[in-house]
Amino acid sequence: MIDKVTPHITQNEPLLFERSSPGKKAYQLPELDVPEVDAAEALGAENVRAEIAGFPEVSEVEAIRHFTRLSTWNFAIDYGMYPLGSCTMKYNPRINEQAARTEGLAWAHPYQPEALAQGCLEVMATLEAALAEITGMDAVTLQPAAGAHGELTGILLIRALLEKRGNPRKKILIPDSAHGTNPATAAIAGYAIENIKSSETGVLDVAALEQIVNEDVAALMVTNPNTLGVFENNIAHAAEILHGKGAMLYMDGANMNALVGIARPGDFGVDVMHLNLHKTFSTPHGGGGPGAGPVAVKKVLEPFLPAPRLKKSGKRWAWDYRRKHSIGRVKAFYGNFGVLIRALAYILAHGGPGLRNATMDAVLNAVYIRKRLEAYFDLPYQSPNMHEVVFSDDRQAAKGVRTGDFAKRLIDYGFHPYTVSFPLIVHGAMMIEPTETEGKREIDQFIDAMISIAKEVETDPQLVKTAPHLTRASRVDETTAARKPILRWKPA
Ligand SMILES: *Cc1c(COP(=O)(O)O)cnc(C)c1O
């Protein structure tokens, strides 16, 4: 309809290919003032194409408008609250961006000689030290490119240590509340997986753990607070049980937003863990990367860390490649450097007390949401929650409305959906993580939207089941849309 009224503002942006007309250009070059070189001669005929089939030809303004219009179709953290649980979608302060764009850092080359890269090495060394302090661990590698990559690195470190002790062992224990990347990591590292059921209060069942830990168990992988948003208050005891049998404790640190400045995994028995800099330490994510998943370890695992390691000789930083027990490189060069700068800027801008405040606000916000929504939604685990809260769609399901329907309706209210159907141990999960960056006004609007939709479920469930109604595209088949996307707009 809108297209008919104002046809120049198309609500259904065509593909750039569809906008193309032959001969249009988005650039203008001055006349050549050097001798012309024949491309085929210079590059070899086999490397030169006569034309690029179907290459779109558009003007500069068409290209700019196309991408700007498309960008308005997206939801973004700069646009509104993004309560996607387990993801810590917090606002990324612009000062981080400014730091990452500092000329000497942004234009540094990884092959630059050490003598000319001292500033970059200092940035990395400072970040390693800050993360070691925050986690209470002894050493940190910045190489892994994401959380899952950090997990794999961490489990390979455990394998290397156990192998050196004579037996890599066979199994990794994983609670039923774990993120899917945990079992995937264990399997790729060559381990069998044994599941541990959570207790009724939603935490690790230590009695069950004690029963199954034996000389076949290499490690327990646990997220703390776990994916129910509940702090594993038996974690130190679990560590003792594992260590008593020569096994290790791996902590998935994706939920460190609930702990930074308050509790240190190194103090409650964790041997190795990863951090998601793109979650806890405020670097942009959600668009597919880049991220960073540094791994922090206790001293026993330090010799196995990926090479090279930063080492200070005299007043200068240098890379140490001669590490005979190292598991080797896990990433080209030294990790996603731009992400590392953003994380360090965030840490230094906050300082210790600021980081601690952020954690307390993150927890306060989630507890506030829980308190105001408890009357409207089923809360399967009653344990106190930390930085996120997991409801289920039990009450709404009675009217035929499931968590996915509810989430779609939230889009009409201007919010990004919460996490749908995860963790798997909660049937019809609605997992909400506000983070510390939301103020009370925005959070109240979100809560009001949730309550308003809960009321719609009572009066007009069909409205919710067919949402969203205010977006350009309504319901799509999610599997087909991902596997066989239809990108072309066909006018009706
Ligand atoms: C996000 C997340 C991961 C994976 O991290 P990536 O950086 O996406 O690879 C692992 N575990 C938990 C609990 C997470 O939330």
Side-chain angles (χ1 to χ4, degrees):
M1 220 171 81
I2 291 167
D3 284 330
K4 281 194 191 115
V5 183
T6 52
H8 63 291
I9 301 173
T10 168
Q11 296 293 305
N12 290 288
E13 184 69 12
L15 298 179
L16 208 51
F17 301 93
E18 294 169 295
R19 281 204 176 277
S20 177
S21 33
K24 277 195 177 180
K25 273 188 199 154
Y27 64 89
Q28 197 179 328
L29 296 177
E31 250 173 68
L32 207 57
D33 60 358
V34 290
E36 194 168 334
V37 176
D38 183 62
E41 224 168 81
L43 301 171
E46 70 280 14
N47 295 319
V48 177
R49 268 193 290 214
E51 64 169 316
I52 308 173
F55 195 72
E57 294 176 81
V58 294
S59 68
E60 175 177 323
V61 64
E62 281 174 318
I64 293 289
R65 286 200 180 140
H66 173 71
F67 289 109
T68 305
R69 283 174 184 158
L70 285 185
S71 78
T72 67
W73 292 32
N74 284 333
F75 197 88
I77 194 67
D78 289 347
Y79 183 70
M81 183 169 162
Y82 211 128
L84 201 62
S86 204
C87 288
T88 309
M89 299 298 286
K90 62 169 81 172
Y91 172 75
N92 308 296
R94 287 299 183 273
I95 191 73
N96 304 351
E97 293 305 316
Q98 205 169 349
R101 280 162 178 69
T102 307
E103 208 179 352
L105 298 174
W107 290 95
H109 194 282
Y111 280 137
Q112 217 162 290
E114 278 165 14
L116 299 179
Q118 287 296 307
C120 295
L121 303 192
E122 179 87 22
V123 163
M124 286 189 268
T126 310
L127 181 62
E128 282 187 6
L131 298 179
E133 169 79 24
I134 286 166
T135 55
M137 308 293 276
D138 299 318
V140 173
T141 173
L142 303 173
Q143 271 190 33
H149 194 195
E151 290 173 32
L152 180 62
T153 305
I155 296 300
L156 290 177
L157 294 172
I158 290 176
R159 181 180 264 286
L161 172 70
L162 295 177
E163 227 155 45
K164 186 156 172 278
R165 286 182 182 166
N167 177 8
R169 302 190 172 195
K170 299 194 178 103
K171 280 193 292 198
I172 302 268
L173 306 177
I174 299 181
D176 53 5
S177 61
H179 195 265
T181 49
N182 294 180
T185 290
I188 288 179
Y191 285 109
I193 292 128
E194 188 167 333
N195 238 266
I196 313 182
K197 274 203 179 314
S198 301
S199 74
E200 257 159 38
T201 52
V203 293
L204 203 64
D205 187 338
V206 189
L209 181 71
E210 197 146 27
Q211 295 286 314
I212 55 177
V213 181
N214 57 26
E215 265 74 38
D216 280 343
V217 172
L220 167 72
M221 281 183 99
V222 67
T223 308
N224 195 19
N226 61 31
T227 57
L228 293 166
V230 177
F231 187 78
E232 294 284 357
N233 50 0
N234 291 323
I235 189 98
H237 187 195
E240 270 171 36
I241 294 168
L242 291 156
H243 294 155
K245 299 277 185 191
M248 315 226 81
L249 177 57
Y250 184 96
M251 190 178 115
D252 178 330
N255 288 344
M256 276 300 282
N257 216 46
L259 300 188
V260 174
I262 307 281
R264 306 195 313 164
D267 298 337
F268 53 69
V270 170
D271 298 297
V272 47
M273 65 179 292
H274 77 262
L275 293 157
N276 300 62
L277 296 188
H278 45 291
K279 294 179 181 172
T280 317
F281 296 97
S282 168
T283 56
H285 72 125
V295 170
V297 297
K298 285 282 174 61
K299 231 177 181 64
V300 281
L301 287 162
E302 204 264 347
F304 307 95
L305 285 173
R309 299 279 303 147
L310 273 173
K311 193 177 70 172
K312 196 146 201 182
S313 53
K315 280 193 180 149
R316 291 185 166 264
W317 289 106
W319 289 112
D320 178 11
Y321 290 85
R322 286 165 310 175
R323 312 248 325 155
K324 76 172 189 259
H325 297 299
S326 169
I327 60 167
R329 262 189 196 285
V330 296
K331 170 95 174 67
F333 304 115
Y334 322 107
N336 285 328
F337 185 58
V339 177
L340 308 181
I341 301 167
R342 288 175 176 87
L344 183 62
Y346 173 82
I347 290 170
L348 295 180
H350 277 71
L355 290 174
R356 185 181 162 86
N357 266 343
T359 301
M360 292 196 292
D361 285 348
V363 175
L364 178 66
N365 284 351
V367 171
Y368 178 66
I369 289 176
R370 172 193 170 146
K371 285 292 167 199
R372 280 203 58 200
L373 290 182
E374 256 173 354
Y376 300 88
F377 299 93
D378 175 62
L379 189 69
Y381 291 91
Q382 299 292 325
S383 305
N385 66 287
M386 302 283 289
H387 68 306
E388 56 195 357
V389 55
V390 183
F391 293 103
S392 91
D393 65 6
D394 221 40
R395 288 190 211 171
Q396 288 69 34
K399 293 272 181 183
V401 174
R402 305 310 314 261
T403 176
D405 304 320
F406 206 100
K408 296 280 191 212
R409 184 64 176 146
L410 210 44
I411 300 171
D412 285 337
Y413 281 77
F415 292 97
H416 192 283
Y418 50 76
T419 292
V420 170
S421 306
F422 178 79
L424 301 178
I425 49 167
V426 173
H427 191 248
M430 314 164 89
M431 181 196 224
I432 301 166
E433 180 183 6
T435 81
E436 71 279 9
T437 52
E438 300 306 329
K440 183 162 182 297
R441 187 187 305 224
E442 191 87 9
I443 291 182
D444 278 332
Q445 278 176 358
F446 170 75
I447 291 169
D448 292 344
M450 291 290 288
I451 293 172
S452 175
I453 301 169
K455 288 179 178 159
E456 287 172 355
V457 171
E458 296 302 318
T459 55
D460 188 0
Q462 205 53 30
L463 177 74
V464 181
K465 283 174 68 125
T466 51
H469 302 287
L470 304 176
T471 48
R472 289 170 172 88
S474 189
R475 293 249 176 152
V476 292
D477 179 317
E478 286 171 8
T479 313
T480 317
R483 299 209 176 134
K484 291 184 191 158
I486 302 167
L487 299 175
R488 250 172 234 282
W489 174 56
K490 294 194 197 85

